[in-house]
Amino acid sequence: MPVTNFSHPDPYKYQTGFDSYHETEAIEGALPIGQNSPQKAPYGLYAEKLSGTAFTAPRHENKQTWVYRIIPAAAHENFIAEDVDSYHTRMTTEAHKLHHIPNQLRWNPFDLDEKVDWVHGLHLIAGSGDPTQKQGLGILMYAAGKDMGKEAFYSADGDFLIVPQHGVLDIQTELGRIILRPNEICVIPRGVRYRVTLPDGPVRGYICELYQGHYQLPELGPIGSNCLANARDFQAPVAAFDDEEESEYKLYSKFNNTLFSARQNHTPFDIVAWHGNYYPFKYDLGRFSVIGSISFDHPDPSIFTVLTAPSDHVGTAVADFVIFPPRWLVAEGTFRPPWYHRNTMSEFMGLISGDYDAKVGGGFKPAGASLHNVMSAHGPDSGAFEGASNAELKPQKVGDGSMAFMFESAHMVGVSEWGLKTCQKVQPEYNEHSWKPLKRHFVNPNKKA
């Protein structure tokens, strides 16, 4: 199994299973028996419920976790909007500040930034919808070089799907700790508080923030019960807490894409035990079990979906997280790279490492990105087309040492001012370099010489 192999082991413990009910306690006996909120919780703890869905959501959709903590989360001062205009400019998804354009877009690698921490290193690239209505999504880039101090952060807007490209994230959440490296992903649900430290220096990566619903495993249909991302390979943290008598902390809230902060005189990381099915989790992309054609043609890229967030229309996603990992191609008589297409979905692609097999011209590099919006035509560049059209069709391993991914959405996404102009990474000649060199090969049998 092509499991990612890291030079140092993960120092934290995890529970396994996707969307499973978990219970965990850092001190034996901290979980009440038989009651969620007894008159007096064990060890003088407070019972608190964290709800990721409405109380009355259908049982199979309901997400909630009971926590047992030293001080309730409500014990903080009033939130005050941060006086950081640049943060609001980077994060806002107000419709009139997003650029909705049909052009194919591609970005050079985004810069590292050693001057800021996680909270202030978030940049909105594109988005759609409205977090106040719990509709749509935001696509972000993060770049940070400083540890968060005695601070915590949470997003009230949506679930963060974090895709590291460079560096290691040590994420201390209320519900336990997670180490996250490139070729792994992590989902931190709406409302869960956490802090990020950087044990190996600066970090950079991508985020898909889901305003609507939650991420889930895709249905497998005729594939059957196995392959793609298997539930057993997802990892959730175990309970871990800080025991500080009194300590000053700053709590950040991302609320309607505006940053607020509040002071509190105790640690946010004081949950001694918890049980439920609403929690952060991580997944190693090396454990993805790829499937594909073993005869001719090739299936839609949907077969590479790791996680999906369904819309109200069956089979259509607010967001799909799709990867293109190393894999064998054996199909006969088949043009093997992705075909030329126009999609009713928007496709935002990023590259974690290596080269993507449909773009051989050198313009799509790790830490870069591309966006092909609704019905914007795209496909292999001219070099990839010529090479694949004339290649000897033998079994071939593609993507070795590479990992590309896609955030795909039914929404038409707008590009932020930062993403289109401020970051200065947009390639002005992307279209010209990729598809203008395509040659005419058509031979009309009815045309006289």
Side-chain angles (χ1 to χ4, degrees):
M1 180 183 293
V3 179
T4 309
N5 183 23
F6 296 112
S7 56
H8 13 274
D10 193 325
Y12 304 129
K13 295 180 179 179
Y14 301 94
Q15 307 167 89
T16 60
F18 183 86
D19 205 22
S20 304
Y21 178 91
H22 288 309
E23 58 179 42
T24 172
E25 54 188 8
I27 296 176
E28 187 176 356
L31 279 175
I33 297 175
Q35 278 188 278
N36 291 325
S37 53
Q39 184 180 18
K40 291 186 177 181
Y43 301 112
L45 298 171
Y46 288 88
E48 178 179 282
K49 187 179 181 183
L50 179 62
S51 297
T53 53
F55 297 147
T56 51
R59 183 183 289 265
H60 70 280
E61 295 178 1
N62 204 293
K63 288 185 175 293
Q64 62 176 12
T65 289
W66 283 93
V67 304
Y68 304 91
R69 64 191 317 155
I70 298 171
I71 298 290
H76 57 72
E77 297 177 4
N78 285 338
F79 280 102
I80 300 172
E82 285 281 289
D83 186 21
V84 184
D85 292 337
S86 61
Y87 183 89
H88 187 262
T89 301
R90 294 198 305 263
M91 295 303 301
T92 184
T93 55
E94 295 173 24
H96 65 279
K97 293 186 179 180
L98 292 176
H99 302 269
H100 293 85
I101 51 181
N103 292 335
Q104 304 97 330
L105 296 174
R106 188 162 71 185
W107 288 265
N108 288 320
F110 293 95
D111 293 331
L112 293 166
D113 189 346
E114 300 188 24
K115 303 184 298 295
V116 297
D117 61 15
W118 172 265
V119 176
H120 298 92
L122 300 172
H123 302 260
L124 182 81
I125 303 174
S128 178
D130 183 352
T132 69
Q133 299 296 313
K134 295 186 177 178
Q135 296 175 343
L137 75 164
I139 297 172
L140 301 89
M141 195 79 194
Y142 71 83
K146 291 183 177 181
D147 293 343
M148 291 176 64
K150 288 202 167 185
E151 299 166 320
F153 169 83
Y154 75 92
S155 175
D157 294 341
D159 292 5
F160 268 33
L161 191 165
I162 303 169
V163 184
Q165 186 277 322
H166 177 87
V168 179
L169 304 175
D170 189 336
I171 306 173
Q172 181 181 14
T173 81
E174 295 178 276
L175 302 175
R177 305 190 71 139
I178 292 174
I179 282 283
L180 193 65
R181 302 180 174 95
N183 262 27
E184 296 179 319
I185 60 168
C186 174
V187 171
I188 301 184
R190 182 197 307 266
V192 171
R193 299 174 180 182
Y194 63 99
R195 69 189 288 263
V196 177
T197 55
L198 316 176
D200 288 349
V203 296
R204 176 177 56 197
Y206 312 82
I207 296 169
C208 188
E209 184 175 19
L210 182 65
Y211 306 150
Q212 184 172 344
H214 300 287
Y215 291 102
Q216 64 186 56
L217 293 178
E219 297 296 337
L220 293 178
I223 295 172
S225 58
N226 299 296
C227 291
L228 307 190
N230 291 311
R232 65 173 298 219
D233 293 323
F234 288 81
Q235 297 178 299
V238 299
F241 70 99
D242 293 339
D243 186 6
E244 301 175 5
E245 290 289 339
E246 193 165 310
S247 187
E248 184 79 10
Y249 270 81
K250 190 173 186 178
L251 176 63
Y252 289 103
S253 172
K254 179 177 176 293
F255 201 89
N256 191 22
N257 281 315
T258 301
L259 189 65
F260 293 81
S261 66
R263 297 284 179 181
Q264 62 182 58
N265 63 359
H266 60 94
T267 175
F269 308 108
D270 64 352
I271 293 176
V272 181
W274 60 267
H275 66 88
N277 65 350
Y278 190 64
Y279 46 75
F281 60 83
K282 78 169 189 173
Y283 175 74
D284 183 342
L285 299 180
R287 294 179 180 267
F288 188 82
S289 181
V290 182
I291 66 170
S293 171
I294 54 172
S295 57
F296 62 89
D297 284 346
H298 47 132
D300 298 325
S302 315
I303 61 169
F304 301 116
T305 302
V306 181
L307 293 170
T308 186
S311 70
D312 296 334
H313 185 73
V314 176
T316 304
V318 178
D320 282 331
F321 174 63
V322 179
I323 64 173
F324 303 97
R327 60 203 182 276
W328 282 95
L329 298 182
V330 299
E332 299 175 334
T334 298
F335 180 78
R336 290 179 173 176
W339 55 82
Y340 295 100
H341 62 294
R342 291 169 292 167
N343 195 350
T344 188
M345 308 280 278
S346 298
E347 302 178 20
F348 177 93
M349 284 197 67
L351 187 60
I352 298 170
S353 60
D355 296 308
Y356 178 52
D357 57 296
K359 294 289 188 292
V360 299
F364 187 45
K365 297 179 180 179
S370 67
L371 174 63
H372 303 131
N373 227 318
V374 173
M375 289 303 172
S376 294
H378 58 288
D381 60 27
S382 58
F385 175 81
E386 295 296 337
S389 298
N390 297 289
E392 180 186 356
L393 292 181
K394 58 184 179 181
Q396 177 188 12
K397 185 77 174 285
V398 299
D400 217 7
S402 173
M403 184 66 77
F405 72 87
M406 180 165 64
F407 299 142
E408 187 177 49
S409 174
H411 288 248
M412 179 183 290
V413 298
V415 185
S416 70
E417 186 74 11
W418 183 90
L420 191 63
K421 300 175 183 178
T422 310
C423 71
Q424 299 182 340
K425 295 298 179 181
V426 173
Q427 298 177 9
E429 299 177 340
Y430 171 40
N431 185 307
E432 183 174 345
H433 285 167
S434 294
W435 300 293
K436 188 175 180 180
L438 289 168
K439 299 175 182 178
R440 176 187 172 101
H441 296 285
F442 176 60
V443 178
N444 187 343
N446 298 320
K447 186 176 181 179
K448 294 181 181 180

